Amino acid sequence: MLIEVKNLSYKFNDFTALENVSFEIEKGDIVAIIGPNGSGKTTLLQNIIGVLSPTTGTITIDGEKPRDVRKKIGYVPQKFEFDRTIPISVHEFMSLEKCGKKGHDEKNIIEALREVGLEDVEEKQLGHLSGGQFQRVMIARALLHEKEILIFDEPSTGIDLVGEKTIYDLIKKINEDRGTTCLIVSHELNIVNKYTKKVVCINKQMVCYGSPEIVITPETLQKLYGSGTGLYHPHNHIH
Ligand code: ADP
Ligand code: MG
């Protein structure tokens, strides 16, 4: 088992954000985490990458504490605060992410941009990219180092349907080509069904965990979002 979350609870002072959450993720899996706003998804991810530490319970990655294996994990945050007026090119932005070995940086940057289909924007200003392109640059940045695990927090928020499909196709391709274990927080249930093998449903507490066809039921959705959400459209496929 690559990632083991056992009886995880997390409190911000007196406020309980996560309570008794347990699940396991195998190497090479692609897993979605779903739940309403404020249900603790980002808090869960931050515990997994070792930025936060469990109040009670444990998380292990390859048997070790997350903060001891941070180098194995790439994180694409929910909101990367960026002032679009800052004059910085895509290439310069990517260069800020150090690659270690001298001389390999330039090649790595081009390869990573090619992998996300953006080699033609290398010299463009970061602030001039579309939302979808910007997010793909963020993914390319995470690809600069060989990571065992990639974590995406709502990667398609604010991006149109075509851009969204591009991003999820890309994540799937990285998962298949590199064997990278991928965790994605998503609101899009259609996407979850189509792209992921397993889904963790949380609402502070664990609601369910398993393959989407089995665990995403009307009852689960009721527990997550209450009634009348209209969130689930099983026939509304993306073409
Ligand atoms: P989600 O990502 O599912 O929308 P979050 O993990 O961001 O939810 O937040 C879970 C809960 O914890 C929310 O009620 C949020 O207001 C609270 N929370 C998040 N960060 C902090 C913080 N730094 N201090 C106090 N409360 C926080
Ligand atoms: Mg969040």
Side-chain angles (χ1 to χ4, degrees), residues 33 45 76-79 131-136 138-139 151-160 163-164 167-168 171 183-188 191:
I33 298 172
L45 294 186
V76 179
Q78 181 166 5
K79 262 197 206 146
Q133 286 175 328
F134 183 83
Q135 193 63 341
R136 276 147 70 203
M138 295 300 292
I139 293 172
I151 296 184
F152 305 90
D153 198 349
E154 305 203 24
S156 64
T157 302
I159 293 168
D160 64 29
E164 175 171 74
I167 284 172
Y168 281 91
I171 294 173
L183 249 76
I184 315 164
V185 166
S186 178
H187 273 302
E188 295 301 323
I191 294 271

Side-chain angles (χ1 to χ4, degrees), residues 76-208:
V76 179
Q78 181 166 5
K79 262 197 206 146
F80 182 82
E81 300 295 345
F82 171 69
D83 178 348
R84 285 186 172 261
T85 63
I86 292 174
I88 183 171
S89 72
V90 170
H91 183 93
E92 286 162 345
F93 176 72
M94 295 282 285
S95 302
L96 295 176
E97 184 79 11
K98 285 204 191 79
C99 295
K101 287 182 219 152
K102 268 197 177 161
H104 287 230
D105 297 21
E106 301 298 310
K107 195 167 138 261
N108 281 352
I109 289 172
I110 295 160
E111 275 171 10
L113 286 172
R114 197 172 289 144
E115 196 161 344
V116 303
L118 284 182
E119 59 271 35
D120 56 331
V121 307
E122 197 183 352
E123 297 308 329
K124 270 201 178 178
Q125 292 293 300
L126 194 59
H128 293 172
L129 301 183
S130 72
Q133 286 175 328
F134 183 83
Q135 193 63 341
R136 276 147 70 203
V137 169
M138 295 300 292
I139 293 172
R141 185 166 156 267
L143 292 177
L144 283 176
H145 312 271
E146 278 291 327
K147 301 288 188 186
E148 256 183 65
I149 302 167
L150 284 177
I151 296 184
F152 305 90
D153 198 349
E154 305 203 24
S156 64
T157 302
I159 293 168
D160 64 29
L161 274 185
V162 176
E164 175 171 74
K165 185 179 181 306
T166 307
I167 284 172
Y168 281 91
D169 283 340
L170 178 61
I171 294 173
K172 195 168 165 81
K173 189 170 170 295
I174 292 166
N175 170 258
E176 286 170 359
D177 293 354
R178 297 184 172 222
T180 312
T181 307
C182 293
L183 249 76
I184 315 164
V185 166
S186 178
H187 273 302
E188 295 301 323
L189 291 168
N190 300 317
I191 294 271
V192 169
N193 267 320
K194 189 163 172 232
Y195 288 91
T196 67
K197 290 181 200 149
K198 285 191 185 140
V199 57
V200 176
C201 308
I202 56 167
N203 200 351
K204 270 192 195 196
Q205 299 175 340
M206 194 77 185
V207 173
C208 58

Side-chain angles (χ1 to χ4, degrees), residues 12 15 17 36-43:
F12 292 102
F15 178 78
N37 280 332
S39 59
K41 303 180 296 296
T42 297
T43 305

